[in-house]
Amino acid sequence: MLELGDSGFVSRETWDRFNIYADLVRKWQNRINLISPKTLPDLWDRHILDSLQLARLAPEPKTWVDMGSGAGFPGMVTAIHLAAKGEGWVHLVESNNKKAAFLRQAITLTGARASVHPLRIDAAKPEVLHPDAISARALASLPDLLGHCERFAIVNPKLEMWFHKGLDYQQEVRSARDQWRFDLVEHQSLLQDGSVILQISNLARHI
């Protein structure tokens, strides 16, 4: 089980930032549907700690693009964790204006190292955002995610992609390999048996 306080992984100040963020999610959930209502009682394990696994797997500060940020999982969690480092940045791409407004308030109240881009991912300009890494969670199938990432990988051939996936991820990987070449590392989730975080690099379309 992932523990926030183990080995100094997360500071007390960062813990406080996460608490502010969690309270804000609960408050805004009454206005707009940020997350599935049935998962709200498990907000910490299901969403925050699950997202925080990225900080363990990719600890060095990076410039991230978080696609379809929604309530901010995993992008806001990454950005809050980066606040303690004072380095790195997360571009939160979210086309829903109400969710984008929520993310802006979350950044203001937590001091997260992030900015909000209220547009569709296909309208984001890779040469402007120029990320080292891309993340997404519960957004789309793996083939579709890689389609969104192609433009970014062309601009930065060293781009890393990090995707949270559930129990059926192997079928998605097989489907993606029909269209794409890529290197893949499967990181087993510390919170849910069978779930993974897929680390993808060297993306290229089959000719």
Side-chain angles (χ1 to χ4, degrees), residues 189-204:
S189 172
L190 298 177
L191 295 168
Q192 183 177 0
D193 290 342
S195 293
V196 295
I197 298 175
L198 301 180
Q199 177 186 356
I200 293 174
S201 58
N202 296 319
L203 178 67

Side-chain angles (χ1 to χ4, degrees), residues 1-193:
M1 177 65 70
L2 183 67
E3 296 290 344
L4 278 175
D6 63 346
S7 304
F9 174 57
V10 175
S11 67
R12 175 53 55 183
E13 180 183 7
T14 302
W15 173 276
D16 292 341
R17 294 177 196 266
F18 281 135
N19 275 305
I20 292 170
Y21 176 47
D23 288 344
L24 196 63
V25 171
R26 296 187 186 98
K27 178 181 177 181
W28 276 67
Q29 181 70 16
N30 293 325
R31 310 179 196 173
I32 62 175
N33 190 37
L34 288 173
I35 60 175
S36 172
K38 67 181 181 182
T39 68
L40 190 60
D42 298 321
L43 175 61
W44 277 96
D45 284 352
R46 185 74 175 268
H47 297 291
I48 296 176
L49 291 181
D50 185 40
S51 298
L52 188 58
Q53 293 184 90
L54 274 189
R56 276 188 172 277
L57 295 171
E60 67 278 10
K62 301 176 184 291
T63 298
W64 292 81
V65 164
D66 187 58
M67 300 193 300
S69 296
F73 306 115
M76 265 297 299
V77 173
T78 300
I80 290 171
H81 189 259
L82 288 175
K85 295 178 178 292
E87 298 179 81
W89 198 261
V90 181
H91 296 285
L92 302 167
V93 180
E94 173 51 56
S95 61
N96 182 290
N97 286 328
K98 291 181 179 179
K99 291 179 180 178
F102 162 78
L103 293 170
R104 290 190 191 95
Q105 185 172 26
I107 291 169
T108 299
L109 295 181
T110 64
R113 292 183 62 82
S115 52
V116 181
H117 303 266
L119 43 76
R120 293 175 58 86
I121 189 61
D122 54 11
K125 297 184 181 300
E127 63 275 12
V128 174
L129 304 183
H130 211 291
D132 305 308
I134 291 179
S135 60
R137 181 175 179 268
L139 176 63
S141 68
L142 185 59
D144 288 344
L145 290 173
L146 297 181
H148 289 311
C149 291
E150 183 180 23
R151 296 178 301 119
F152 294 89
I154 291 172
V155 171
N156 179 12
K158 296 182 178 180
L159 181 74
E160 294 180 354
M161 290 142 278
W162 299 82
F163 304 130
H164 288 70
K165 285 295 177 181
L167 303 179
D168 59 349
Y169 76 93
Q170 292 179 334
Q171 178 58 49
E172 291 192 38
V173 171
R174 287 192 291 268
S175 296
R177 289 202 183 279
D178 289 339
Q179 305 174 48
W180 308 94
R181 301 193 310 273
F182 53 86
D183 295 335
L184 172 66
V185 180
E186 300 176 11
H187 301 276
Q188 295 300 313
S189 172
L190 298 177
L191 295 168
Q192 183 177 0
D193 290 342

